Amino acid sequence: MTPPTTPTDDSRPTRRRILTGLAAGAATLPVLSGCAATHPAAGSPPTGSPSPSPSPGTADRNAAPGAMRLFDNPDHNFQALFALGAAGQGSTEVGETLTAVNTINQAGASNQTFTDTFRTWGKRLADQADQAGGDKEPHTQNARALRSAASYEQALYFVLGTDQPDDEQALYQAGRDSFDTFARTCTPPAQTATLPYGGKRMPLWFFRPQGATGRRPTVILTNGSDGQNVDMWTYGVAEALRRDWNALVYDGPGQGQLLFVDQLPFTPRWEQVVTPLVDWLTARDDVDPDRIALTGFSLGGVLAPRAAAYERRLAAVVAGPGVVTPWNAFPPQIREVLAPTKEETNQIWNADVAPRIPKADRFTLNKRFEPYDAAVMRAARQGKLFTDFWTPARVLVGMDITKVAGRIQCPALIIDFQDDQFFPGQARALYDLVTSKKQYVEMTREQGAQLHCSPMAPQFYCETVFDWLDQTVRT
């Protein structure tokens, strides 16, 4: 796979062609982690072989047999599947999730009703956690604070598409407060710290197994572009603790606090984020410096390999899914707006493209571009579409790791998801680029683990990852 390039004047599609493409695909622009499956329903490829690669932005709602349909809207449905699947790790409760789904559908499913309903559940569970606090019911406080954080995450996801988009930071903070309560009441409590980054402080949560002594293997869990810390519990921390590993969770630029509060966007140079984490870990007397692994979840599937290409102290890296070119997750009609210069790009965007984008797709584009440029966030929180297309697009183009993936020296696990809506074919492309010891695993429909990040099967995902880590790092 070759890195994306800015079209030349001779090759760049005409404005008419861009607009025709947008008109044809306006209703099929997927949010980076919320859409229906994109693969044909019949004829799934065998495990270990690359999946077919349809154009990003298409959506066949019937493409994934076995995926429960809770909502007609594929974005709402995908997010709800994450909420349902997380119950296996205690992050949610099946009854609470399905009750919320019923409430939303009865009210008429929309970004507004989805946000309002899950916000109500987040507050209800946070209040219950507070009531159980102190010495009253510490285990109940811990469990309900975690579920509160998960409910607030669901509300946060669609808030930019409601009539109160400026509630985004407040919703993030509510979920963050619940997660901090959960982390503080774990046994043993998570240790917290901050490290400097970009003039701000990068928050860390360090989880240790109960009764742990001596130096232990440690996993650094890297989130994606719109997940919250509760996802890292679901997709890593809980399993790490069961297997006697330490686990480090953090917010990098473009994530969590650094995004929603400090407004620091993603950086293509993720090694500058991970290296200070490794420094911090190796200074601890409960971390084995020779057994530090790095995982990347969702968009983290490009961030973690990028860091591993430069940070030589890592014992292993996991990309779930493997990603090479994040820019290619956007539909072609959006990518074609990017012209050779900032002036030309933004002229096309503001004069010809943006005015014709339907309101629903304005939310989608704001959501997808938000982590790459703080100006997008500020506009979105005012209910407006961003006007500078060039800046976030160039960050995305710069995140391509085609030229550096071959530098990875540690063992690598590359995970693929059958019916992945956003990065089809990219896991196999990354596997082909990596030259170190490596393994490719596809999560399939037959396993109930299809779709981007296996929303219905986080336990199976974690078992797969940590089986490999135990064999690779601990032995």
Side-chain angles (χ1 to χ4, degrees):
M1 182 178 293
T2 57
T5 57
T6 302
T8 64
D9 288 337
D10 292 332
S11 65
R12 182 173 57 80
T14 64
R15 297 183 185 185
R16 179 182 296 275
R17 179 176 161 189
I18 294 172
L19 295 174
T20 299
L22 282 170
T28 62
L29 302 177
V31 181
L32 190 52
S33 69
C35 178
T38 61
H39 293 290
S44 61
T47 300
S49 63
S51 300
S53 301
S55 299
T58 61
D60 177 359
R61 297 184 184 182
N62 298 312
M68 183 178 293
R69 186 180 297 183
L70 302 170
F71 296 105
D72 288 337
N73 180 294
D75 292 345
H76 296 158
N77 196 69
F78 187 65
Q79 286 303 116
L81 289 180
F82 273 109
L84 203 58
Q89 302 287 31
S91 304
T92 61
E93 177 78 282
V94 170
E96 292 168 359
T97 298
L98 292 180
T99 299
V101 168
N102 288 339
T103 299
I104 295 164
N105 280 324
Q106 290 169 5
S110 66
N111 290 342
Q112 188 72 51
T113 57
F114 194 105
T115 299
D116 291 346
T117 300
F118 276 105
R119 187 203 307 247
T120 298
W121 270 104
K123 186 176 187 308
R124 177 183 298 147
L125 289 164
D127 289 344
Q128 292 174 359
D130 288 343
Q131 292 166 9
D135 296 327
K136 295 179 183 178
E137 299 164 324
H139 296 295
T140 297
Q141 180 185 28
N142 179 262
R144 291 184 181 174
L146 180 63
R147 302 205 307 273
S148 171
S151 293
Y152 276 127
E153 178 190 24
Q154 291 293 319
L156 174 64
Y157 193 90
F158 291 106
V159 68
L160 291 180
T162 71
D163 59 10
Q164 295 175 302
D166 57 341
D167 279 359
E168 184 181 52
Q169 182 173 335
L171 266 178
Y172 161 74
Q173 192 62 58
R176 165 68 181 276
D177 290 345
S178 289
F179 184 80
D180 283 343
T181 297
F182 163 75
R184 185 179 66 252
T185 56
C186 282
T187 305
Q191 296 183 357
T192 58
T194 62
L195 294 175
Y197 182 88
K200 304 295 182 179
R201 303 293 298 186
M202 182 165 60
L204 318 178
W205 296 260
F206 183 74
F207 294 85
R208 299 159 296 154
Q210 186 173 4
T213 59
R215 295 185 180 273
R216 319 201 69 72
T218 301
V219 60
I220 304 171
L221 297 159
T222 303
N223 216 329
S225 69
D226 46 38
Q228 303 306 313
N229 291 326
V230 63
D231 292 326
M232 294 297 89
W233 174 266
T234 304
Y235 283 86
V237 177
E239 187 71 16
L241 297 179
R242 278 193 286 267
R243 300 200 185 210
D244 222 20
W245 284 62
N246 301 320
L248 181 68
V249 175
Y250 68 101
D251 286 341
Q255 301 171 328
Q257 177 179 309
L258 265 62
L259 174 65
F260 295 112
V261 179
D262 299 327
Q263 299 191 17
L264 289 182
F266 273 121
T267 174
R269 303 190 66 182
W270 206 253
E271 68 277 8
Q272 295 180 351
V273 179
V274 168
T275 290
L277 302 178
V278 178
D279 291 341
W280 188 81
L281 287 172
T282 56
R284 296 181 61 93
D285 61 9
D286 54 0
V287 171
D288 184 339
D290 296 322
R291 294 190 294 172
I292 298 175
L294 175 68
T295 68
F297 180 71
S298 191
L299 189 75
V302 75
L303 304 176
R306 165 73 196 205
Y310 292 91
E311 176 49 68
R312 300 296 186 214
R313 293 171 291 178
L314 296 173
V317 63
V318 177
V323 181
V324 176
T325 311
W327 184 226
N328 284 356
F330 286 77
Q333 63 267 32
I334 291 297
R335 299 200 308 270
E336 289 174 359
V337 173
L338 186 59
T341 68
K342 181 175 183 178
E343 181 180 11
E344 184 180 4
T345 296
N346 289 341
Q347 172 65 23
I348 294 171
W349 176 248
N350 291 307
D352 299 330
V353 178
R356 293 171 169 81
I357 295 176
K359 181 179 180 180
D361 289 324
R362 289 185 174 220
F363 157 71
T364 300
L365 288 164
N366 278 334
K367 181 67 178 174
R368 293 195 65 191
F369 277 94
E370 178 185 50
Y372 305 96
D373 183 16
V376 177
M377 171 186 289
R378 290 191 289 270
R381 288 179 176 180
Q382 297 174 28
K384 301 175 182 177
L385 185 64
F386 57 96
T387 58
D388 179 7
F389 183 96
W390 168 270
T391 298
R394 291 306 304 178
V395 173
L396 276 154
V397 168
M399 294 177 77
D400 183 283
I401 61 169
T402 301
K403 295 181 179 179
V404 304
R407 295 171 54 102
I408 296 172
Q409 295 182 2
C410 63
L413 173 63
I414 314 298
I415 295 176
D416 204 350
F417 300 106
Q418 189 175 8
D419 303 318
D420 192 300
Q421 308 96 296
F422 310 105
F423 306 114
Q426 294 209 33
R428 176 59 72 171
L430 178 60
Y431 179 82
D432 291 342
L433 289 170
V434 172
T435 58
S436 62
K437 181 181 178 181
K438 58 188 177 180
Q439 184 172 344
Y440 173 93
V441 174
E442 183 179 33
M443 309 228 159
T444 68
R445 299 174 190 166
E446 288 76 12
Q447 299 159 336
Q450 73 272 36
L451 303 178
H452 180 67
C453 293
S454 293
M456 299 180 293
Q459 293 178 90
F460 179 74
Y461 171 89
C462 288
E463 291 161 3
T464 302
V465 169
F466 279 90
D467 283 350
W468 182 83
L469 285 175
D470 278 339
Q471 294 168 10
T472 303
V473 177
R474 299 193 75 150
T475 58

